[in-house]
Amino acid sequence: MPNWLKDAVFYEIYPQSFYDTNGDGIGDFNGIIEKLDYIKSLGCNALWINPCFDSLFHDAGYDVRDYKKVAPRYGTNSDLYRLFGEAHRKGIHVLLDLVPGHTSEEHPWFLESQKAEKNEYSNRYIWTNAAFQPAKGFLYIGGETERDGVYVLNFFKCQPALNYGFLNPEEDWQLSMDHPDCIATREAMKDVMRFWLDHGCDGFRVDMAASLVKNDDEKKSGTSAVWKNVREMLDAEYPEAAMISEWNEPEMAINQGGFHMDFYLNWSGNGYSSLLRDYERGEDHSFFKKDGSGDIRRFLDEYLPRYEATRENGYYCLITCNHDTKRPKYNLDDSELKIAYAFLFTMPGVPFLYYGDEIGMRYLELKTKEGGYGRTGSRTPMQWTDGKNAGFSTCPADALYLPVDTADGAPSVAAQEVDGNSLLSTVKDLLRLRHEEEDLQADGDFEVVYAESGKLPFVYRRGSLLLALNPSTERVSAPVGEADAGKKVLYAIGTGEVKEQEIILAPQSFVVLK
Ligand code: NOJ
């Protein structure tokens, strides 16, 4: 396990929209380099950059055409190597986005695979034996290739599935996982990983990590076996490299597959969604809404068994948002967000902050861009200043990758940096506290002290620290142990105190007691 993860806090960058230094309306690597000090000032010491490789951008770069070459819109490979170096000098680790499940339909492997003559890449993707033989049970495309067969998709139409084999082949076109051509796919992906690790990257966020082996069983034992094999390679050759899976099944991803971290994702109605995104199911009872109608048990009952089952082997990670979800500002105001972030940044595992969430950037209703659809509104340019294009780019406004938020009072870094009470200042305070107190970091023990269905506050322990939060506008209290009576306030949003054997919290408060 890479030791640096213990105190890591990640910042996710959607590179198109972070900072444009050459005035073409789209972000670039030099822009990320220029803003490293800003990222550091937040208290983030690690980055995850969304795919920045050569692509047709039919899915914002998740349709990779060349795994080893960056997209010219962001700069050159040398610029990215320089970014690794500059980041490391500032104590920041950098994860790239690995897309192992599919490529672009214009990847040279696919262009070879679709040829009528058999060649080295014929089995790199999944094909049936004839154009009129459907790939039953899968998304597939027929009638577009020289080869007489249909091919299986992994996501959008532009993303044919790479062939890691089938756990239980059921038809003769389905190869087994140990077929040499399926092993070759896995080795090709390791080769891509080695390429970037050798150039200074620190690991990968892995896209659709659960999708590799087809006809897998419920426990995903086929796909896990592939990842376990990749982990063995990392342990032997790059023991400091880290992998985080887009999977949201930590027992599979971490315990079986060997991922160091797995994301707790916003699946509709699940525990994580009940915290910030409950509106997806109709009435919004998100726990962090100030009407206090949420229920922390919806989160805990799902989270706790998963956390307990995996904590010895890796980290189940909480996010503010990502490039696929609506920003938390969509339904929460800044006072609600402060309490929500206080929770997210004081939980076990490694927290992930999505660019712009630190200032409460809004979700915008926008026409789709690069396959974003409903996700597009969370991918708008970072709002640095109150000036032209929010300080993101010097280009004409109509040349921007996506429009900037021009609403009255749209938040900006510049305005919030000089306001000690801003969301940005709260984020910095919280992350500073996390770095100062080892108990608050990834490995610190976590224990629930008071969490009653439909009641507040929520009280929990991290190591020797006692934490409590109250998202509502009512004053609330809960019993605590005798040993907690003498604890002093180390940090607070609002006010909270322990009196006799009771913890009392003012409206919308969060407190850490030592
Ligand atoms: C998950 C990524 O986060 C998403 O943005 C992408 O569209 C799909 N995987 C397909 O790669």
Side-chain angles (χ1 to χ4, degrees):
M1 176 67 73
N3 207 38
W4 60 270
L5 289 178
K6 279 186 202 293
D7 187 29
V9 178
F10 274 87
Y11 192 69
E12 179 192 345
I13 293 182
Y14 184 75
Q16 286 92 323
S17 294
F18 194 55
Y19 189 49
D20 170 22
T21 55
N22 64 354
D24 63 355
I26 193 157
D28 43 52
F29 294 131
N30 285 332
I32 299 176
I33 293 172
E34 277 194 34
K35 295 295 185 184
L36 287 172
D37 283 330
Y38 167 74
I39 292 162
K40 191 92 216 244
S41 79
L42 294 172
C44 292
N45 53 16
L47 295 179
W48 152 30
I49 305 173
N50 291 117
C52 50
F53 314 106
D54 179 47
S55 170
L56 296 169
F57 291 97
H58 290 169
D59 183 14
Y62 283 94
D63 46 331
V64 179
R65 184 166 55 186
D66 184 342
Y67 285 106
K68 295 186 182 175
K69 183 173 170 266
V70 302
R73 46 155 73 166
Y74 304 125
T76 62
N77 276 26
S78 307
D79 293 330
L80 182 54
Y81 306 155
R82 198 160 58 80
L83 192 163
F84 296 149
E86 295 291 325
H88 292 163
R89 257 186 288 287
K90 295 179 193 293
I92 297 174
H93 288 86
V94 184
L95 299 196
L96 295 179
D97 209 316
L98 184 73
V99 190
H102 48 268
T103 65
S104 154
E105 60 195 335
E106 295 210 3
H107 192 290
W109 296 340
F110 188 75
L111 298 181
E112 285 300 304
S113 196
Q114 68 82 44
K115 286 185 177 161
E117 306 80 40
K118 250 195 155 337
N119 61 61
E120 188 187 341
Y121 299 99
S122 297
N123 287 330
R124 181 60 50 99
Y125 300 82
I126 306 169
W127 295 84
T128 65
N129 296 324
F132 298 104
Q133 179 185 25
K136 277 195 215 109
F138 296 94
L139 290 173
Y140 65 87
I141 300 286
E144 293 221 331
T145 60
E146 193 181 278
R147 177 168 172 170
D148 187 5
V150 309
Y151 60 93
V152 171
L153 299 176
N154 219 32
F155 198 66
F156 283 157
K157 183 255 166 194
C158 61
Q159 292 156 323
L162 283 162
N163 193 359
Y164 293 83
F166 288 67
L167 181 68
N168 300 303
E170 281 164 6
E171 302 199 41
D172 61 355
W173 52 269
Q174 302 182 349
L175 304 183
S176 77
M177 284 178 63
D178 51 16
H179 188 285
D181 292 345
C182 300
I183 303 280
T185 305
R186 178 195 305 191
E187 292 305 320
M189 210 44 67
K190 284 190 201 160
D191 173 59
V192 169
M193 295 173 80
R194 287 190 180 102
F195 176 84
W196 290 109
L197 292 166
D198 287 340
H199 281 102
C201 114
D202 299 292
F204 303 93
R205 174 270 187 183
V206 177
D207 185 70
M208 290 176 70
S211 73
L212 305 193
V213 172
K214 306 303 184 196
N215 285 9
D216 212 345
D217 56 18
E218 259 185 31
K219 292 190 143 168
K220 294 271 177 189
S221 43
T223 298
S224 303
V226 172
W227 288 118
K228 190 108 211 156
N229 176 263
V230 172
R231 170 70 186 266
E232 281 160 17
M233 180 277 278
L234 290 185
D235 284 351
E237 299 173 33
Y238 306 92
E240 284 302 298
M243 283 200 301
I244 179 160
S245 45
E246 187 203 21
W247 195 325
N248 195 20
E249 291 289 357
E251 290 170 73
M252 297 179 202
I254 295 173
N255 291 357
Q256 292 173 197
F259 277 93
H260 306 98
M261 305 174 271
D262 185 31
F263 282 119
Y264 198 171
L265 297 169
N266 61 309
W267 292 354
S268 183
N270 77 351
Y272 168 74
S273 296
S274 77
L275 298 172
L276 316 170
R277 306 166 188 285
D278 193 45
Y279 53 83
E280 284 166 354
R281 302 194 312 164
E283 248 181 80
D284 187 356
H285 297 298
S286 296
F287 179 70
F288 288 103
K289 284 212 77 75
K290 56 174 165 265
D291 69 1
S293 70
D295 186 344
I296 193 65
R297 296 263 31 136
R298 285 176 59 198
F299 167 78
L300 290 174
D301 291 348
E302 185 175 272
Y303 174 81
L304 281 172
R306 293 169 161 218
Y307 162 70
E308 291 296 346
T310 56
R311 54 176 298 199
E312 297 296 324
N313 300 321
Y315 305 118
Y316 192 29
C317 298
L318 294 167
I319 61 175
T320 61
C321 179
N322 67 30
H323 62 289
D324 292 333
T325 68
K326 287 203 169 73
R327 286 191 181 272
K329 189 61 178 281
Y330 181 73
N331 67 325
L332 300 178
D333 65 25
D334 283 4
S335 68
E336 294 168 322
L337 284 177
K338 285 180 184 174
I339 310 293
Y341 292 173
F343 168 78
L344 295 173
F345 297 154
T346 55
M347 284 291 284
V350 180
F352 279 69
L353 169 64
Y354 183 56
Y355 85 97
D357 279 350
E358 69 273 31
I359 55 170
M361 272 174 59
R362 295 190 311 147
Y363 170 85
L364 303 188
E365 300 291 344
L366 294 173
K367 223 170 74 186
T368 185
K369 176 90 175 180
E370 297 187 343
Y373 300 96
R375 309 175 292 185
T376 307
S378 292
R379 300 175 173 184
T380 60
M382 180 69 180
Q383 293 152 216
W384 295 105
T385 69
D386 300 333
K388 182 181 172 185
N389 298 328
F392 162 73
S393 171
T394 55
C395 74
D398 60 3
L400 287 167
Y401 170 76
L402 280 172
V404 296
D405 187 354
T406 52
D408 267 359
S412 74
V413 171
Q416 293 201 12
E417 267 181 338
V418 294
D419 173 1
N421 215 11
S422 65
L423 186 59
L424 177 65
S425 297
T426 303
V427 166
K428 289 183 183 180
D429 291 344
L430 286 163
L431 294 180
R432 192 180 314 116
L433 183 72
R434 186 178 171 102
H435 294 305
E436 280 165 8
E437 298 292 329
E438 214 182 319
D439 282 347
L440 292 179
Q441 296 166 12
D443 283 329
D445 284 341
F446 172 69
E447 192 196 322
V448 173
V449 175
Y450 182 87
E452 294 290 305
S453 197
K455 287 194 186 158
L456 290 167
F458 169 45
V459 187
Y460 54 112
R461 218 179 282 288
R462 295 296 318 279
S464 63
L465 303 174
L466 185 73
L467 296 90
L469 58 87
N470 171 23
S472 82
T473 51
E474 305 287 319
R475 184 184 133 99
V476 296
S477 63
V480 292
E482 221 173 302
D484 294 316
K487 288 202 156 74
K488 299 263 171 319
V489 175
L490 183 64
Y491 173 78
I493 297 171
T495 49
E497 57 175 342
V498 179
K499 258 198 191 152
E500 281 142 26
Q501 272 167 249
E502 209 180 31
I503 186 157
I504 305 159
L505 284 134
Q508 293 202 294
S509 290
F510 165 81
V511 67
V512 182
L513 299 154
K514 192 170 180 168

